[in-house]
Amino acid sequence: MPASALIESVEEVLRPLSYARNVAWWDSQVDASDENERRRAESELAFSDALADTALFAAIEEARSGSGDPLVDRQLDLLHDLMLPHQIPDSLRGRIVELESAVEARFSRHRGVVAGAEVDDNEIKHILRLSDDPVERQDAWEAAKTVGASVADDVRELARLRNEAARGLGYRDWFALSLATDELDEEKLLATLTEADRVTAAPFGRWKAALDERLALRFGGATRELRPWHYADPFFQETPVEGSVDLDPLFAGEDIVSLARRTFDGIGLEVEGILDRSDLFPRTGKCQHAFCIDVDRSGDVRVLANVVSNHDWADTTLHELGHGVYDLGFEESLPWVLRSTHLVATEASALLFGSLAGTREWLERVLGIAPREGAELEAQLRAARVAELIVFTRWVLVMNAFERALYADPDGDLDSTWWELVARYQLLTPPEGRHAPDWAAKIHVAVAPVYYHTYLYGAIVALQLKDALDAAVGGIVDRPEAGALLQQRLFAPGQSIRWDRLVEHASGSPLSVESLARQVAVG
Ligand SMILES: [Zn+2]
């Protein structure tokens, strides 16, 4: 069979299964009922079954030896990477899929308890941002970790099963297999993370010392008495109010969705269709996180969010729509396989748009604050941006090193490893005598394994894109030329170009920590 006919036949099989799986997944996230959960697991398994087809995989491997057509070769490479992790025994594959679904459902339903009452993630965040009562803060922080204890054994089992799968395919462990199928080079990744550690260590140390002084004053103790619950979110992955500028008062009572619509209108990118299909506000029984999903690669793009009127949700709404406009931006003529994005490229777009909500220009032009207020805020916003980047980078270093350790030895003393990494990279003091699987409370470890470094790569690429747009058209907000450039250079090619070359094509330079180093040095 000629390679192009082979690809067509694969698409005929995968396309409807992918659609069914995406719809079932969406349904299970907006309404975590047993029936939706059953349908999700079923459709997931059907899709996975198709990817596990050994004869089809063998045909793709054979056709890969070179068709002479770059677009055909590219599709074969992507199909190979998509199918490879599924070329494992059916029973093993079934156990992994089932366990992932079960753990994710538990995250959706779980609610922590503070002072005898069930609380959701938004309430826990609220306490950790605003409460001055250390006892209430510790309660909220501990409540955020209880889900960890309930899923930890299953997450370890998932790591064992994933490793068994990876080793059967000739890879060291699941970590190595994941990088290979994501077109990420492990040596290059580790070198980049080492560099990111090097360029952020000193700025983070200085920033954290100043933060601790302020926290000690606020909570009335010494800096050495500070513990993880004195910081403003359960994992110290975001910038605390004390280290940044509290923009929430500016967003009180604002219609976040209208602001997002207005943002994309001003850049000439259409989001009305996405918003119409989306599920945007908090509700019982619904996933508490946020995501964007391209259901059919033909325009059915949806966002799930739990929007409340604050800066965080303005950032998140823009972020998810930043994924969405990418999914709507593929060149019409691209085949189905290439109408998709690499994780790094789509995160870069999302982070680029999310960050707008913390810029002076956006606050003035879209939110409508007075220019004088904007001028007063500008220095603080820049410092906050730097803080956000260093806090985030240190957090990614924890996650990446932890997952490497998890897959190197799923039976190891992970509770200790977690706190060693948190102490080393985030400079937090572990709670005395705490022996709990706090690592398992991070949902990504269970359901988005070996993914977190793509957020850092995405953040770095977002900085590179921003520099390129500044140079080309003077910025982003209210500049349709910026939207057009992103559309042409980043979105349109889909996956017809390998992600690292696409980054270079869209931003003018290959991925490096230079832009990050420059940014954090400015602070
Ligand atoms: Zn994202």
Side-chain angles (χ1 to χ4, degrees), residues 226-275:
L226 293 170
R227 292 297 174 271
W229 46 86
H230 293 112
Y231 300 80
D233 70 85
F235 293 99
F236 192 27
Q237 65 184 92
E238 290 160 17
T239 326
V241 176
E242 288 80 0
S244 65
V245 44
D246 182 11
L247 295 176
D248 282 354
L250 300 178
F251 287 87
E254 290 288 340
D255 180 342
I256 301 294
V257 176
S258 293
L259 294 171
R261 184 186 286 116
R262 157 78 182 79
T263 305
F264 285 94
D265 279 352
I267 306 168
L269 296 170
E270 179 62 50
V271 294
E272 206 49 52
I274 303 176
L275 293 172

Side-chain angles (χ1 to χ4, degrees), residues 249-390:
L250 300 178
F251 287 87
E254 290 288 340
D255 180 342
I256 301 294
V257 176
S258 293
L259 294 171
R261 184 186 286 116
R262 157 78 182 79
T263 305
F264 285 94
D265 279 352
I267 306 168
L269 296 170
E270 179 62 50
V271 294
E272 206 49 52
I274 303 176
L275 293 172
D276 284 346
R277 293 181 172 89
S278 293
D279 189 313
L280 297 170
F281 301 101
R283 211 179 47 243
T284 316
K286 167 182 168 179
C287 162
Q288 296 187 72
H289 306 275
F291 63 83
C292 177
I293 183 169
D294 183 353
V295 175
D296 64 358
R297 303 191 186 183
S298 300
D300 183 353
V301 175
R302 310 173 189 180
V303 167
L304 179 145
N306 289 273
V307 173
V308 292
S309 294
N310 62 26
H311 169 254
D312 195 17
W313 277 106
D315 182 317
T316 303
T317 307
L318 292 170
H319 177 112
E320 300 310 338
L321 289 169
H323 286 300
V325 290
Y326 198 142
D327 296 332
L328 292 183
F330 305 132
E331 197 180 295
E332 292 284 336
S333 62
L334 279 181
W336 180 79
V337 173
L338 301 180
R339 299 175 65 83
S340 57
T341 63
H342 189 271
L343 307 169
V344 170
T346 188
E347 278 309 328
S349 173
L351 291 164
L352 180 68
F353 285 107
S355 70
L356 291 179
T359 62
R360 176 184 173 184
E361 192 175 32
W362 188 91
L363 292 169
E364 286 184 15
R365 301 183 77 137
V366 179
L367 186 62
I369 68 168
R372 216 194 48 184
E373 199 178 353
E376 281 166 10
L377 274 173
E378 190 161 18
Q380 290 179 68
L381 290 171
R382 239 199 331 266
R385 179 79 189 117
V386 171
E388 194 185 320
L389 280 169
I390 53 181

Side-chain angles (χ1 to χ4, degrees), residues 49-339:
D49 279 344
L51 297 181
D53 188 321
T54 49
L56 206 55
F57 184 72
I60 286 169
E61 285 221 293
E62 200 187 310
R64 253 180 123 203
S65 47
S67 67
D69 178 340
L71 275 193
V72 169
D73 287 346
R74 185 76 192 127
Q75 292 179 77
L76 291 171
D77 284 350
L78 289 168
L79 287 170
H80 172 270
D81 288 350
L82 179 66
M83 293 180 75
L84 177 64
H86 300 266
Q87 302 301 309
I88 57 177
D90 283 350
S91 59
L92 178 56
R93 201 162 47 79
R95 281 163 72 205
I96 292 175
V97 171
E98 253 173 55
L99 200 50
E100 281 175 345
S101 299
V103 170
E104 188 160 14
R106 225 157 335 128
F107 266 99
S108 283
R109 292 203 191 100
H110 185 87
R111 296 290 182 273
V113 174
V114 175
E118 288 203 339
V119 289
D120 65 15
D121 288 358
N122 270 334
E123 288 166 281
I124 286 173
K125 271 190 167 180
H126 188 78
I127 293 172
L128 289 177
R129 286 189 82 78
L130 299 178
S131 172
D132 290 322
D133 174 359
V135 175
E136 185 186 30
R137 299 184 67 88
Q138 184 170 355
D139 276 359
W141 184 86
E142 283 172 358
K145 306 293 176 190
T146 51
V147 68
S150 91
V151 299
D153 289 345
D154 284 345
V155 178
R156 280 186 198 265
E157 179 62 6
L158 266 175
R160 281 182 217 110
L161 295 172
R162 286 170 180 156
N163 276 350
E164 190 184 331
R167 284 172 191 146
L169 295 168
Y171 288 80
R172 183 190 72 227
D173 58 16
W174 186 262
F175 192 87
L177 173 66
S178 295
L179 295 187
T181 55
D182 285 344
E183 301 186 319
L184 293 167
D185 179 76
E186 184 163 2
E187 251 175 67
K188 159 93 177 155
L189 173 66
L190 297 187
T192 305
L193 291 173
T194 302
E195 278 293 284
D197 180 13
R198 191 179 60 76
V199 303
T200 57
F204 180 74
R206 283 194 299 273
W207 175 85
K208 167 85 168 30
L211 169 69
D212 284 357
E213 294 293 339
R214 274 178 262 176
L215 291 179
L217 271 180
R218 174 175 166 192
F219 299 114
T223 53
R224 66 172 187 282
E225 288 164 338
L226 293 170
R227 292 297 174 271
W229 46 86
H230 293 112
Y231 300 80
D233 70 85
F235 293 99
F236 192 27
Q237 65 184 92
E238 290 160 17
T239 326
V241 176
E242 288 80 0
S244 65
V245 44
D246 182 11
L247 295 176
D248 282 354
L250 300 178
F251 287 87
E254 290 288 340
D255 180 342
I256 301 294
V257 176
S258 293
L259 294 171
R261 184 186 286 116
R262 157 78 182 79
T263 305
F264 285 94
D265 279 352
I267 306 168
L269 296 170
E270 179 62 50
V271 294
E272 206 49 52
I274 303 176
L275 293 172
D276 284 346
R277 293 181 172 89
S278 293
D279 189 313
L280 297 170
F281 301 101
R283 211 179 47 243
T284 316
K286 167 182 168 179
C287 162
Q288 296 187 72
H289 306 275
F291 63 83
C292 177
I293 183 169
D294 183 353
V295 175
D296 64 358
R297 303 191 186 183
S298 300
D300 183 353
V301 175
R302 310 173 189 180
V303 167
L304 179 145
N306 289 273
V307 173
V308 292
S309 294
N310 62 26
H311 169 254
D312 195 17
W313 277 106
D315 182 317
T316 303
T317 307
L318 292 170
H319 177 112
E320 300 310 338
L321 289 169
H323 286 300
V325 290
Y326 198 142
D327 296 332
L328 292 183
F330 305 132
E331 197 180 295
E332 292 284 336
S333 62
L334 279 181
W336 180 79
V337 173
L338 301 180
R339 299 175 65 83

Side-chain angles (χ1 to χ4, degrees), residues 312-504:
D312 195 17
W313 277 106
D315 182 317
T316 303
T317 307
L318 292 170
H319 177 112
E320 300 310 338
L321 289 169
H323 286 300
V325 290
Y326 198 142
D327 296 332
L328 292 183
F330 305 132
E331 197 180 295
E332 292 284 336
S333 62
L334 279 181
W336 180 79
V337 173
L338 301 180
R339 299 175 65 83
S340 57
T341 63
H342 189 271
L343 307 169
V344 170
T346 188
E347 278 309 328
S349 173
L351 291 164
L352 180 68
F353 285 107
S355 70
L356 291 179
T359 62
R360 176 184 173 184
E361 192 175 32
W362 188 91
L363 292 169
E364 286 184 15
R365 301 183 77 137
V366 179
L367 186 62
I369 68 168
R372 216 194 48 184
E373 199 178 353
E376 281 166 10
L377 274 173
E378 190 161 18
Q380 290 179 68
L381 290 171
R382 239 199 331 266
R385 179 79 189 117
V386 171
E388 194 185 320
L389 280 169
I390 53 181
V391 167
F392 177 69
T393 301
R394 307 307 291 179
W395 165 240
V396 175
L397 293 171
V398 171
M399 283 294 284
N400 185 271
F402 178 78
E403 288 197 285
R404 254 184 295 147
L406 169 66
Y407 291 101
D409 181 11
D411 301 304
D413 182 2
L414 299 171
D415 302 1
S416 299
T417 300
W418 175 258
W419 282 108
E420 279 159 27
L421 293 169
V422 167
R424 184 196 315 166
Y425 291 120
Q426 297 184 292
L427 306 178
L428 290 180
T429 305
E432 285 76 6
R434 184 169 176 87
H435 295 288
D438 295 323
W439 49 273
K442 187 68 192 163
I443 188 171
H444 295 70
V445 177
V447 305
V450 195
Y451 185 87
Y452 236 87
H453 45 267
T454 59
Y455 289 130
L456 182 60
Y457 269 12
I460 290 171
V461 174
L463 292 173
Q464 293 182 197
L465 288 171
K466 188 187 171 301
D467 286 347
L469 292 172
D470 283 348
V473 298
I476 300 170
V477 177
D478 283 347
R479 288 175 186 81
E481 316 89 273
L485 270 176
L486 285 171
Q487 165 66 39
Q488 288 155 18
R489 313 220 75 168
L490 186 67
F491 305 163
Q495 291 223 70
S496 63
I497 307 174
R498 200 183 126 110
W499 76 273
D500 41 7
R501 285 193 281 280
L502 180 68
V503 165
E504 203 171 339

